[in-house]
Amino acid sequence: MYYTDETFTAVVEPSTRVLLRVVNAGLNSHLFFKLAGHNFTVVAVDAGYTSNLNTDTLVLAPGQTVDALVTTAAAPGSYYMAVLAHDTMSPLAFAASDTTTATAILQYNGTSSTNPPAMPAMPSSSDSGTANAFYFGLRGLGAPAVPAPVDV
């Protein structure tokens, strides 16, 4: 994978597996992250390995990192990676919430950039069901082995 400077485009080879390390560098908002036409396999959260979680939407709390594998098996072309704030405030505040979507592009190597990228269907900014499904789907790898006896 490599990046082009002027368009924030990540260029990938078809039929490969790519590790995305997604970071929510924000201060206050949980974020939804999607990649049009692709699914993720979450393998780590905050540098701790997890059981594999297959999902089409990543949800990140402020300061959180998620490591997810993406298989580039979609039709050759360009796809938007998009992020949207998850509004966790009361329903009365939803009307005033920010519904801005930030994007970058994942483009398969050897494809033309003349066609517009496909945009993922983003969840509603108030979609707590999607956020809960992601967070409640995360599982650790089990209890770590602690050597015994422990003397210090």
Side-chain angles (χ1 to χ4, degrees):
M1 178 184 325
Y2 66 91
Y3 300 93
T4 60
D5 294 333
E6 61 279 348
T7 61
F8 301 103
T9 301
V11 180
V12 296
E13 294 297 324
S15 302
T16 59
R17 200 173 333 169
V18 177
L19 175 66
L20 293 180
R21 188 160 284 150
V22 184
V23 179
N24 179 353
L27 183 60
N28 294 321
S29 297
H30 291 239
L31 298 176
F32 291 120
F33 180 87
K34 291 188 79 167
L35 173 56
H38 296 78
N39 289 322
F40 303 104
T41 301
V42 176
V43 295
V45 174
D46 289 335
Y49 292 120
T50 62
S51 293
N52 291 353
L53 171 64
N54 296 314
T55 182
D56 68 341
T57 306
L58 304 180
V59 185
L60 293 94
Q64 187 175 40
T65 63
V66 172
D67 294 351
L69 297 172
V70 174
T71 301
T72 57
S78 297
Y79 300 90
Y80 274 121
M81 295 179 276
V83 63
L84 173 71
H86 171 46
D87 193 339
T88 57
M89 297 184 287
S90 71
L92 298 176
F94 289 150
S97 68
D98 182 4
T99 58
T100 304
T101 302
T103 59
I105 298 171
L106 181 124
Q107 181 176 330
Y108 283 42
N109 195 18
T111 59
S112 171
S113 60
T114 57
N115 294 334
M119 183 69 173
M122 297 301 288
S124 161
S125 64
S126 61
D127 189 349
S128 294
T130 296
N132 289 342
F134 179 81
Y135 286 131
F136 296 150
L138 294 173
R139 299 285 181 262
L141 292 177
V146 177
V150 176
D151 59 358
V152 177

